[in-house]
């Protein structure tokens, strides 16, 4: 489990295809603190550490993960948002994030407003899944590339988030342009509520 508070935007130093799998090697300041089998969120995707060498470590993404997320579109040199799993005695500064990406979205607009940036993301709406909580709500939480954010201007298949300068500089939001593909994880609490309401109607 994660909180959506990114620790570091780390560069990819190597990519290796292995049948349907993709091995990603990253350079991280906390690589020496990691252990084999440890979970780390990469752009919001929970992956397992399989190798550590100095300040480099490697994780593996399977084909289903590549199809559901933006990890398969990354190149060497791209920065990836990293977050280690949440400590049980820590503060929940973001919101409850599982590290299970629901789908991708496309950045369709970026507006600079009073020193901050408003990003608009558009995604494919599945009406059936929306009734199960796979959607955004005004002032609710959403995870974009592993970053816990507050939704504004929520529409049927789009929403906006406001990015302050610190977040822009310390995550890979500075790489996002119009047309960029990002990972979305909708709020797990909303999914549970939607599911409970479904059973109450039956």
């Amino acid at each position: 489990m994660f909180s959506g508070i990114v620790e570091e935007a780390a560069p990819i130093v190597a990519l290796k295809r292995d049948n349907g799998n993709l091995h990603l090697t990253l350079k991280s300041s906390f690589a020496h603190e990691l252990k084999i089998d440890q979970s780390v969120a990469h752009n919001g995707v929970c992956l397992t550490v399989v190798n550590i060498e100095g300040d480099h470590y490697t994780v593996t993404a399977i084909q289903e993960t590549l199809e559901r997320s933006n990890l398969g579109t990354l190149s060497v040199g791209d920065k990836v948002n990293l977050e280690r799993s949440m400590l049980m005695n820590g503060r929940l500064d973001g919101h409850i994030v599982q590290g299970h990406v629901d789908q991708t979205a496309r950045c369709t607009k970026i507006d600079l407003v009073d020193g901050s940036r408003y990003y608009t993301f558009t995604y494919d709406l599945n009406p059936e899944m929306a009734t199960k909580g796979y959607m955004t709500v005004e002032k609710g939480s959403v995870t974009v590339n592993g970053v816990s954010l507050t939704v504004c201007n929520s529409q049927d298949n789009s929403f906006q988030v406001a990015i302050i300068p610190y977040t822009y500089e310390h995550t890979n939001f500075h790489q996002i342009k119009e047309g960029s593909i990002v990972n979305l994880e909708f709020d797990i609490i909303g999914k549970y509520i939607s599911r409970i309401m479904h059973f109450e109607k039956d």
Side-chain angles (χ1 to χ4, degrees), residues 19-81:
N19 294 318
N21 299 330
L22 177 65
H23 304 293
L24 302 92
T25 300
L26 300 98
K27 181 179 180 180
S28 169
S29 63
F30 56 74
H32 65 285
E33 300 177 30
L34 299 176
K35 297 179 180 179
I36 301 298
D37 287 338
Q38 186 170 345
S39 296
V40 179
H42 298 74
N43 278 359
V45 182
C46 180
L47 298 174
T48 301
V49 175
V50 297
N51 187 56
I52 305 169
E53 293 184 11
D55 59 358
H56 293 182
Y57 74 92
T58 301
V59 293
T60 302
I62 63 174
Q63 186 62 38
E64 181 182 356
T65 301
L66 299 176
E67 292 173 357
R68 190 179 291 267
S69 72
N70 66 3
L71 295 185
T73 69
L74 300 177
S75 303
V76 170
D78 287 345
K79 289 189 175 181
V80 177
N81 292 334

Side-chain angles (χ1 to χ4, degrees), residues 104-109 120-123 177-182:
T104 58
R106 183 180 299 275
C107 178
T108 52
K109 190 177 182 183
T120 301
F121 295 106
T122 301
Y123 58 94
K177 303 176 176 62
E178 290 187 16
S180 294
I181 302 299
V182 299

Side-chain angles (χ1 to χ4, degrees), residues 147-166:
V147 183
S148 173
L149 297 167
T150 299
V151 173
C152 58
N153 194 22
S154 177
Q155 304 294 323
D156 287 345
N157 68 334
S158 69
F159 63 93
Q160 286 183 315
V161 292
I163 301 299
I164 62 174
Y166 181 89

Side-chain angles (χ1 to χ4, degrees), residues 162-181:
I163 301 299
I164 62 174
Y166 181 89
T167 303
Y168 178 82
E169 295 167 4
H170 289 84
T171 70
N172 63 14
F173 260 88
H174 61 267
Q175 293 181 164
I176 297 175
K177 303 176 176 62
E178 290 187 16
S180 294
I181 302 299

